[in-house]
Amino acid sequence: MIDSHCHLDHEPLINNINEVLSRSKNDGIKKILTICTTIKSFEIIKKILKLDDIIYGTFGIHPHETDSNHVSKKIILDNIKINPKIIGIGETGLDFYYNNSKKNKQIDSFKTHIEAAIESNLPIIVHSRNAEEETFNVLSKYKNQKPKILMHCFTGSYNFYKKMEELESYFSASGIITFNNSKELQLTFSQIPNEKLLVETDSPFLAPIPMRGKKNEPSFIKYTLKKLADIKNIDISEMTSLTTKNFNTLFFN
């Protein structure tokens, strides 16, 4: 199993990191990708990467943080060169639900991250909320340069999935697909090709059923995998193999 997106630098994970890692390994997790959201968080992630061979990281600025965390393409490229365990760029993207940062700042930052991802040939981890059209429009301008795109915690519409499919995107399922009110999302995931599926916890957020109400952690990935396997009508072991292969294809090829 691979948790393709979590935040080990957040509480309560960071203060219980040894126990979190132990539970993850006991459940058979082989890789954990801890995601950068700010320049400050990257400083913590660099230390976390030293704790265990199974931990990998990214560099990027979350759309909520773009007003106060300006980065150039050079800064992104310089930071990902620091450590071979930095294997992705993000999380970046657009969030017009909360608008914690100005729209133009989010868009400019998103473009900068995409251009760095293309130059470095690393996957870009995309957050999109209430911004389906804008997210696709920005990414589609780079279609000919073939960025490696991962739609993280995908909760978009079926039409958005079909548009992003044109860009050969990968789609990551979070614990949201286990929720009782996510029938439409489950139907969309049933249509996504198996070779484009990943799973994530987005921990410490979005704990899946039956762990709702608890702080999420990587070891809970098994519940999302089970639900995705049910949606796809395949065995959980096959879904585990598929999502592991897809992660390694996207991040290590």
PDB file of all heavy atoms in Angstrom, residues 60-93:
ATOM      1  N   GLY A  60       6.046  22.662  -2.631  1.00  0.00           N
ATOM      2  CA  GLY A  60       5.026  23.458  -3.299  1.00  0.00           C
ATOM      3  C   GLY A  60       4.276  24.335  -2.321  1.00  0.00           C
ATOM      4  O   GLY A  60       4.408  24.186  -1.105  1.00  0.00           O
ATOM      5  N   ILE A  61       3.486  25.239  -2.889  1.00  0.00           N
ATOM      6  CA  ILE A  61       2.707  26.173  -2.089  1.00  0.00           C
ATOM      7  C   ILE A  61       1.223  25.946  -2.339  1.00  0.00           C
ATOM      8  O   ILE A  61       0.746  26.049  -3.467  1.00  0.00           O
ATOM      9  CB  ILE A  61       3.074  27.635  -2.439  1.00  0.00           C
ATOM     10  CG1 ILE A  61       4.592  27.861  -2.317  1.00  0.00           C
ATOM     11  CG2 ILE A  61       2.294  28.604  -1.553  1.00  0.00           C
ATOM     12  CD1 ILE A  61       5.184  27.583  -0.951  1.00  0.00           C
ATOM     13  N   HIS A  62       0.500  25.636  -1.271  1.00  0.00           N
ATOM     14  CA  HIS A  62      -0.941  25.404  -1.346  1.00  0.00           C
ATOM     15  C   HIS A  62      -1.634  26.691  -1.803  1.00  0.00           C
ATOM     16  O   HIS A  62      -1.200  27.794  -1.447  1.00  0.00           O
ATOM     17  CB  HIS A  62      -1.444  25.002   0.040  1.00  0.00           C
ATOM     18  CG  HIS A  62      -2.821  24.454   0.074  1.00  0.00           C
ATOM     19  ND1 HIS A  62      -3.941  25.256  -0.071  1.00  0.00           N
ATOM     20  CD2 HIS A  62      -3.291  23.188   0.240  1.00  0.00           C
ATOM     21  CE1 HIS A  62      -5.027  24.510   0.014  1.00  0.00           C
ATOM     22  NE2 HIS A  62      -4.659  23.247   0.193  1.00  0.00           N
ATOM     23  N   PRO A  63      -2.724  26.572  -2.585  1.00  0.00           N
ATOM     24  CA  PRO A  63      -3.410  27.794  -3.028  1.00  0.00           C
ATOM     25  C   PRO A  63      -3.881  28.699  -1.892  1.00  0.00           C
ATOM     26  O   PRO A  63      -3.970  29.922  -2.077  1.00  0.00           O
ATOM     27  CB  PRO A  63      -4.596  27.264  -3.852  1.00  0.00           C
ATOM     28  CG  PRO A  63      -4.695  25.805  -3.564  1.00  0.00           C
ATOM     29  CD  PRO A  63      -3.325  25.363  -3.194  1.00  0.00           C
ATOM     30  N   HIS A  64      -4.162  28.124  -0.713  1.00  0.00           N
ATOM     31  CA  HIS A  64      -4.537  28.971   0.426  1.00  0.00           C
ATOM     32  C   HIS A  64      -3.405  29.903   0.849  1.00  0.00           C
ATOM     33  O   HIS A  64      -3.645  30.931   1.488  1.00  0.00           O
ATOM     34  CB  HIS A  64      -4.893  28.107   1.643  1.00  0.00           C
ATOM     35  CG  HIS A  64      -6.193  27.385   1.544  1.00  0.00           C
ATOM     36  ND1 HIS A  64      -7.199  27.753   0.688  1.00  0.00           N
ATOM     37  CD2 HIS A  64      -6.659  26.297   2.224  1.00  0.00           C
ATOM     38  CE1 HIS A  64      -8.227  26.931   0.841  1.00  0.00           C
ATOM     39  NE2 HIS A  64      -7.924  26.036   1.754  1.00  0.00           N
ATOM     40  N   GLU A  65      -2.174  29.528   0.518  1.00  0.00           N
ATOM     41  CA  GLU A  65      -1.000  30.188   1.089  1.00  0.00           C
ATOM     42  C   GLU A  65      -0.253  31.087   0.106  1.00  0.00           C
ATOM     43  O   GLU A  65       0.815  31.607   0.424  1.00  0.00           O
ATOM     44  CB  GLU A  65      -0.015  29.124   1.615  1.00  0.00           C
ATOM     45  CG  GLU A  65      -0.638  28.074   2.520  1.00  0.00           C
ATOM     46  CD  GLU A  65      -1.054  28.627   3.876  1.00  0.00           C
ATOM     47  OE1 GLU A  65      -0.625  29.741   4.222  1.00  0.00           O
ATOM     48  OE2 GLU A  65      -1.819  27.944   4.584  1.00  0.00           O
ATOM     49  N   THR A  66      -0.801  31.274  -1.085  1.00  0.00           N
ATOM     50  CA  THR A  66      -0.022  31.961  -2.129  1.00  0.00           C
ATOM     51  C   THR A  66       0.169  33.451  -1.869  1.00  0.00           C
ATOM     52  O   THR A  66       1.136  34.040  -2.350  1.00  0.00           O
ATOM     53  CB  THR A  66      -0.657  31.758  -3.517  1.00  0.00           C
ATOM     54  OG1 THR A  66      -2.029  32.189  -3.477  1.00  0.00           O
ATOM     55  CG2 THR A  66      -0.615  30.300  -3.927  1.00  0.00           C
ATOM     56  N   ASP A  67      -0.725  34.082  -1.114  1.00  0.00           N
ATOM     57  CA  ASP A  67      -0.547  35.508  -0.811  1.00  0.00           C
ATOM     58  C   ASP A  67       0.718  35.753   0.007  1.00  0.00           C
ATOM     59  O   ASP A  67       1.399  36.774  -0.170  1.00  0.00           O
ATOM     60  CB  ASP A  67      -1.760  36.058  -0.047  1.00  0.00           C
ATOM     61  CG  ASP A  67      -2.933  36.385  -0.961  1.00  0.00           C
ATOM     62  OD1 ASP A  67      -2.832  36.150  -2.178  1.00  0.00           O
ATOM     63  OD2 ASP A  67      -3.963  36.870  -0.443  1.00  0.00           O
ATOM     64  N   SER A  68       1.028  34.828   0.895  1.00  0.00           N
ATOM     65  CA  SER A  68       2.152  35.038   1.824  1.00  0.00           C
ATOM     66  C   SER A  68       3.360  34.162   1.516  1.00  0.00           C
ATOM     67  O   SER A  68       4.368  34.239   2.222  1.00  0.00           O
ATOM     68  CB  SER A  68       1.691  34.780   3.262  1.00  0.00           C
ATOM     69  OG  SER A  68       1.125  33.491   3.383  1.00  0.00           O
ATOM     70  N   ASN A  69       3.265  33.326   0.474  1.00  0.00           N
ATOM     71  CA  ASN A  69       4.380  32.435   0.112  1.00  0.00           C
ATOM     72  C   ASN A  69       4.638  32.526  -1.390  1.00  0.00           C
ATOM     73  O   ASN A  69       4.235  31.658  -2.155  1.00  0.00           O
ATOM     74  CB  ASN A  69       4.059  30.991   0.477  1.00  0.00           C
ATOM     75  CG  ASN A  69       4.123  30.701   1.951  1.00  0.00           C
ATOM     76  OD1 ASN A  69       5.102  30.169   2.467  1.00  0.00           O
ATOM     77  ND2 ASN A  69       3.062  31.058   2.663  1.00  0.00           N
ATOM     78  N   HIS A  70       5.307  33.573  -1.792  1.00  0.00           N
ATOM     79  CA  HIS A  70       5.624  33.716  -3.221  1.00  0.00           C
ATOM     80  C   HIS A  70       6.877  32.913  -3.547  1.00  0.00           C
ATOM     81  O   HIS A  70       7.899  33.031  -2.863  1.00  0.00           O
ATOM     82  CB  HIS A  70       5.854  35.180  -3.590  1.00  0.00           C
ATOM     83  CG  HIS A  70       6.341  35.357  -4.993  1.00  0.00           C
ATOM     84  ND1 HIS A  70       5.523  35.187  -6.096  1.00  0.00           N
ATOM     85  CD2 HIS A  70       7.576  35.638  -5.478  1.00  0.00           C
ATOM     86  CE1 HIS A  70       6.225  35.372  -7.194  1.00  0.00           C
ATOM     87  NE2 HIS A  70       7.473  35.650  -6.846  1.00  0.00           N
ATOM     88  N   VAL A  71       6.807  32.092  -4.589  1.00  0.00           N
ATOM     89  CA  VAL A  71       7.985  31.351  -5.043  1.00  0.00           C
ATOM     90  C   VAL A  71       8.122  31.490  -6.553  1.00  0.00           C
ATOM     91  O   VAL A  71       7.131  31.497  -7.279  1.00  0.00           O
ATOM     92  CB  VAL A  71       7.912  29.849  -4.672  1.00  0.00           C
ATOM     93  CG1 VAL A  71       8.037  29.644  -3.179  1.00  0.00           C
ATOM     94  CG2 VAL A  71       6.647  29.196  -5.193  1.00  0.00           C
ATOM     95  N   SER A  72       9.357  31.598  -6.990  1.00  0.00           N
ATOM     96  CA  SER A  72       9.656  31.630  -8.414  1.00  0.00           C
ATOM     97  C   SER A  72       9.915  30.211  -8.905  1.00  0.00           C
ATOM     98  O   SER A  72      10.073  29.281  -8.107  1.00  0.00           O
ATOM     99  CB  SER A  72      10.900  32.481  -8.669  1.00  0.00           C
ATOM    100  OG  SER A  72      12.025  31.870  -8.039  1.00  0.00           O
ATOM    101  N   LYS A  73       9.971  30.048 -10.200  1.00  0.00           N
ATOM    102  CA  LYS A  73      10.312  28.738 -10.751  1.00  0.00           C
ATOM    103  C   LYS A  73      11.691  28.301 -10.269  1.00  0.00           C
ATOM    104  O   LYS A  73      11.902  27.133  -9.939  1.00  0.00           O
ATOM    105  CB  LYS A  73      10.257  28.765 -12.281  1.00  0.00           C
ATOM    106  CG  LYS A  73      10.514  27.390 -12.907  1.00  0.00           C
ATOM    107  CD  LYS A  73      10.251  27.389 -14.412  1.00  0.00           C
ATOM    108  CE  LYS A  73      11.339  28.107 -15.165  1.00  0.00           C
ATOM    109  NZ  LYS A  73      11.229  27.888 -16.633  1.00  0.00           N
ATOM    110  N   LYS A  74      12.611  29.232 -10.200  1.00  0.00           N
ATOM    111  CA  LYS A  74      13.973  28.909  -9.742  1.00  0.00           C
ATOM    112  C   LYS A  74      13.964  28.404  -8.301  1.00  0.00           C
ATOM    113  O   LYS A  74      14.650  27.425  -7.969  1.00  0.00           O
ATOM    114  CB  LYS A  74      14.882  30.126  -9.844  1.00  0.00           C
ATOM    115  CG  LYS A  74      16.331  29.827  -9.452  1.00  0.00           C
ATOM    116  CD  LYS A  74      17.201  31.051  -9.572  1.00  0.00           C
ATOM    117  CE  LYS A  74      18.674  30.714  -9.317  1.00  0.00           C
ATOM    118  NZ  LYS A  74      18.903  30.134  -7.978  1.00  0.00           N
ATOM    119  N   ILE A  75      13.183  29.039  -7.440  1.00  0.00           N
ATOM    120  CA  ILE A  75      13.113  28.596  -6.044  1.00  0.00           C
ATOM    121  C   ILE A  75      12.569  27.173  -5.968  1.00  0.00           C
ATOM    122  O   ILE A  75      13.094  26.329  -5.231  1.00  0.00           O
ATOM    123  CB  ILE A  75      12.230  29.558  -5.218  1.00  0.00           C
ATOM    124  CG1 ILE A  75      12.955  30.881  -5.008  1.00  0.00           C
ATOM    125  CG2 ILE A  75      11.856  28.930  -3.869  1.00  0.00           C
ATOM    126  CD1 ILE A  75      12.107  31.956  -4.358  1.00  0.00           C
ATOM    127  N   ILE A  76      11.528  26.884  -6.747  1.00  0.00           N
ATOM    128  CA  ILE A  76      10.965  25.527  -6.747  1.00  0.00           C
ATOM    129  C   ILE A  76      12.012  24.525  -7.217  1.00  0.00           C
ATOM    130  O   ILE A  76      12.243  23.495  -6.572  1.00  0.00           O
ATOM    131  CB  ILE A  76       9.710  25.459  -7.643  1.00  0.00           C
ATOM    132  CG1 ILE A  76       8.603  26.356  -7.096  1.00  0.00           C
ATOM    133  CG2 ILE A  76       9.210  24.011  -7.739  1.00  0.00           C
ATOM    134  CD1 ILE A  76       7.398  26.497  -8.010  1.00  0.00           C
ATOM    135  N   LEU A  77      12.663  24.819  -8.331  1.00  0.00           N
ATOM    136  CA  LEU A  77      13.638  23.883  -8.891  1.00  0.00           C
ATOM    137  C   LEU A  77      14.830  23.702  -7.958  1.00  0.00           C
ATOM    138  O   LEU A  77      15.334  22.583  -7.794  1.00  0.00           O
ATOM    139  CB  LEU A  77      14.107  24.367 -10.263  1.00  0.00           C
ATOM    140  CG  LEU A  77      13.034  24.344 -11.363  1.00  0.00           C
ATOM    141  CD1 LEU A  77      13.543  25.024 -12.625  1.00  0.00           C
ATOM    142  CD2 LEU A  77      12.596  22.919 -11.677  1.00  0.00           C
ATOM    143  N   ASP A  78      15.270  24.773  -7.314  1.00  0.00           N
ATOM    144  CA  ASP A  78      16.397  24.674  -6.382  1.00  0.00           C
ATOM    145  C   ASP A  78      16.039  23.789  -5.189  1.00  0.00           C
ATOM    146  O   ASP A  78      16.864  22.995  -4.718  1.00  0.00           O
ATOM    147  CB  ASP A  78      16.808  26.058  -5.888  1.00  0.00           C
ATOM    148  CG  ASP A  78      17.564  26.857  -6.942  1.00  0.00           C
ATOM    149  OD1 ASP A  78      17.954  26.267  -7.979  1.00  0.00           O
ATOM    150  OD2 ASP A  78      17.741  28.076  -6.732  1.00  0.00           O
ATOM    151  N   ASN A  79      14.811  23.906  -4.706  1.00  0.00           N
ATOM    152  CA  ASN A  79      14.404  23.129  -3.528  1.00  0.00           C
ATOM    153  C   ASN A  79      14.206  21.654  -3.837  1.00  0.00           C
ATOM    154  O   ASN A  79      14.509  20.802  -3.000  1.00  0.00           O
ATOM    155  CB  ASN A  79      13.138  23.723  -2.914  1.00  0.00           C
ATOM    156  CG  ASN A  79      13.435  24.878  -1.982  1.00  0.00           C
ATOM    157  OD1 ASN A  79      14.072  24.702  -0.947  1.00  0.00           O
ATOM    158  ND2 ASN A  79      12.978  26.064  -2.334  1.00  0.00           N
ATOM    159  N   ILE A  80      13.729  21.332  -5.028  1.00  0.00           N
ATOM    160  CA  ILE A  80      13.531  19.912  -5.321  1.00  0.00           C
ATOM    161  C   ILE A  80      14.849  19.201  -5.602  1.00  0.00           C
ATOM    162  O   ILE A  80      14.922  17.974  -5.543  1.00  0.00           O
ATOM    163  CB  ILE A  80      12.540  19.691  -6.491  1.00  0.00           C
ATOM    164  CG1 ILE A  80      13.080  20.298  -7.785  1.00  0.00           C
ATOM    165  CG2 ILE A  80      11.173  20.238  -6.152  1.00  0.00           C
ATOM    166  CD1 ILE A  80      12.196  20.031  -8.980  1.00  0.00           C
ATOM    167  N   LYS A  81      15.893  19.983  -5.876  1.00  0.00           N
ATOM    168  CA  LYS A  81      17.213  19.383  -6.115  1.00  0.00           C
ATOM    169  C   LYS A  81      17.943  19.054  -4.824  1.00  0.00           C
ATOM    170  O   LYS A  81      18.966  18.369  -4.840  1.00  0.00           O
ATOM    171  CB  LYS A  81      18.069  20.334  -6.961  1.00  0.00           C
ATOM    172  CG  LYS A  81      17.591  20.490  -8.400  1.00  0.00           C
ATOM    173  CD  LYS A  81      18.375  21.574  -9.123  1.00  0.00           C
ATOM    174  CE  LYS A  81      17.847  21.810 -10.531  1.00  0.00           C
ATOM    175  NZ  LYS A  81      18.494  22.977 -11.184  1.00  0.00           N
ATOM    176  N   ILE A  82      17.424  19.540  -3.698  1.00  0.00           N
ATOM    177  CA  ILE A  82      18.099  19.370  -2.410  1.00  0.00           C
ATOM    178  C   ILE A  82      18.232  17.903  -2.019  1.00  0.00           C
ATOM    179  O   ILE A  82      19.237  17.478  -1.449  1.00  0.00           O
ATOM    180  CB  ILE A  82      17.338  20.147  -1.311  1.00  0.00           C
ATOM    181  CG1 ILE A  82      17.518  21.654  -1.511  1.00  0.00           C
ATOM    182  CG2 ILE A  82      17.792  19.737   0.075  1.00  0.00           C
ATOM    183  CD1 ILE A  82      16.629  22.486  -0.599  1.00  0.00           C
ATOM    184  N   ASN A  83      17.196  17.123  -2.330  1.00  0.00           N
ATOM    185  CA  ASN A  83      17.127  15.757  -1.819  1.00  0.00           C
ATOM    186  C   ASN A  83      16.438  14.871  -2.857  1.00  0.00           C
ATOM    187  O   ASN A  83      15.365  15.226  -3.345  1.00  0.00           O
ATOM    188  CB  ASN A  83      16.326  15.756  -0.508  1.00  0.00           C
ATOM    189  CG  ASN A  83      16.365  14.436   0.228  1.00  0.00           C
ATOM    190  OD1 ASN A  83      16.280  13.371  -0.383  1.00  0.00           O
ATOM    191  ND2 ASN A  83      16.471  14.496   1.542  1.00  0.00           N
ATOM    192  N   PRO A  84      17.035  13.712  -3.201  1.00  0.00           N
ATOM    193  CA  PRO A  84      16.397  12.823  -4.181  1.00  0.00           C
ATOM    194  C   PRO A  84      15.060  12.262  -3.717  1.00  0.00           C
ATOM    195  O   PRO A  84      14.312  11.698  -4.521  1.00  0.00           O
ATOM    196  CB  PRO A  84      17.420  11.700  -4.370  1.00  0.00           C
ATOM    197  CG  PRO A  84      18.275  11.740  -3.146  1.00  0.00           C
ATOM    198  CD  PRO A  84      18.334  13.178  -2.743  1.00  0.00           C
ATOM    199  N   LYS A  85      14.739  12.416  -2.431  1.00  0.00           N
ATOM    200  CA  LYS A  85      13.447  11.949  -1.922  1.00  0.00           C
ATOM    201  C   LYS A  85      12.331  12.982  -2.145  1.00  0.00           C
ATOM    202  O   LYS A  85      11.183  12.717  -1.814  1.00  0.00           O
ATOM    203  CB  LYS A  85      13.554  11.585  -0.447  1.00  0.00           C
ATOM    204  CG  LYS A  85      14.463  10.378  -0.184  1.00  0.00           C
ATOM    205  CD  LYS A  85      14.533  10.040   1.285  1.00  0.00           C
ATOM    206  CE  LYS A  85      13.318   9.247   1.748  1.00  0.00           C
ATOM    207  NZ  LYS A  85      13.384   8.909   3.182  1.00  0.00           N
ATOM    208  N   ILE A  86      12.679  14.145  -2.697  1.00  0.00           N
ATOM    209  CA  ILE A  86      11.658  15.108  -3.130  1.00  0.00           C
ATOM    210  C   ILE A  86      11.242  14.688  -4.527  1.00  0.00           C
ATOM    211  O   ILE A  86      11.993  14.865  -5.489  1.00  0.00           O
ATOM    212  CB  ILE A  86      12.194  16.548  -3.130  1.00  0.00           C
ATOM    213  CG1 ILE A  86      12.739  16.932  -1.751  1.00  0.00           C
ATOM    214  CG2 ILE A  86      11.095  17.520  -3.583  1.00  0.00           C
ATOM    215  CD1 ILE A  86      11.693  16.927  -0.656  1.00  0.00           C
ATOM    216  N   ILE A  87      10.040  14.124  -4.656  1.00  0.00           N
ATOM    217  CA  ILE A  87       9.661  13.465  -5.914  1.00  0.00           C
ATOM    218  C   ILE A  87       8.459  14.099  -6.610  1.00  0.00           C
ATOM    219  O   ILE A  87       7.996  13.589  -7.638  1.00  0.00           O
ATOM    220  CB  ILE A  87       9.384  11.962  -5.687  1.00  0.00           C
ATOM    221  CG1 ILE A  87       8.252  11.757  -4.672  1.00  0.00           C
ATOM    222  CG2 ILE A  87      10.667  11.246  -5.226  1.00  0.00           C
ATOM    223  CD1 ILE A  87       7.798  10.305  -4.535  1.00  0.00           C
ATOM    224  N   GLY A  88       7.951  15.211  -6.067  1.00  0.00           N
ATOM    225  CA  GLY A  88       6.803  15.843  -6.699  1.00  0.00           C
ATOM    226  C   GLY A  88       6.755  17.330  -6.407  1.00  0.00           C
ATOM    227  O   GLY A  88       7.465  17.829  -5.515  1.00  0.00           O
ATOM    228  N   ILE A  89       5.909  18.046  -7.137  1.00  0.00           N
ATOM    229  CA  ILE A  89       5.741  19.485  -6.976  1.00  0.00           C
ATOM    230  C   ILE A  89       4.296  19.758  -6.577  1.00  0.00           C
ATOM    231  O   ILE A  89       3.357  19.342  -7.239  1.00  0.00           O
ATOM    232  CB  ILE A  89       6.116  20.216  -8.271  1.00  0.00           C
ATOM    233  CG1 ILE A  89       7.622  20.113  -8.488  1.00  0.00           C
ATOM    234  CG2 ILE A  89       5.672  21.676  -8.229  1.00  0.00           C
ATOM    235  CD1 ILE A  89       8.119  20.730  -9.762  1.00  0.00           C
ATOM    236  N   GLY A  90       4.137  20.446  -5.458  1.00  0.00           N
ATOM    237  CA  GLY A  90       2.811  20.757  -4.952  1.00  0.00           C
ATOM    238  C   GLY A  90       2.746  20.512  -3.449  1.00  0.00           C
ATOM    239  O   GLY A  90       3.757  20.187  -2.823  1.00  0.00           O
ATOM    240  N   GLU A  91       1.599  20.760  -2.825  1.00  0.00           N
ATOM    241  CA  GLU A  91       0.392  20.822  -3.596  1.00  0.00           C
ATOM    242  C   GLU A  91       0.133  22.261  -4.032  1.00  0.00           C
ATOM    243  O   GLU A  91       0.331  23.193  -3.273  1.00  0.00           O
ATOM    244  CB  GLU A  91      -0.774  20.217  -2.819  1.00  0.00           C
ATOM    245  CG  GLU A  91      -1.686  21.083  -2.015  1.00  0.00           C
ATOM    246  CD  GLU A  91      -2.641  20.292  -1.123  1.00  0.00           C
ATOM    247  OE1 GLU A  91      -2.159  19.603  -0.194  1.00  0.00           O
ATOM    248  OE2 GLU A  91      -3.852  20.410  -1.346  1.00  0.00           O
ATOM    249  N   THR A  92      -0.312  22.377  -5.251  1.00  0.00           N
ATOM    250  CA  THR A  92      -0.613  23.662  -5.851  1.00  0.00           C
ATOM    251  C   THR A  92      -2.015  23.569  -6.440  1.00  0.00           C
ATOM    252  O   THR A  92      -2.700  22.580  -6.247  1.00  0.00           O
ATOM    253  CB  THR A  92       0.432  24.001  -6.924  1.00  0.00           C
ATOM    254  OG1 THR A  92       0.144  25.290  -7.494  1.00  0.00           O
ATOM    255  CG2 THR A  92       0.453  22.963  -8.045  1.00  0.00           C
ATOM    256  N   GLY A  93      -2.445  24.617  -7.117  1.00  0.00           N
ATOM    257  CA  GLY A  93      -3.762  24.561  -7.740  1.00  0.00           C
ATOM    258  C   GLY A  93      -4.598  25.779  -7.417  1.00  0.00           C
ATOM    259  O   GLY A  93      -4.068  26.869  -7.133  1.00  0.00           O
TER     260      GLY A  93
END
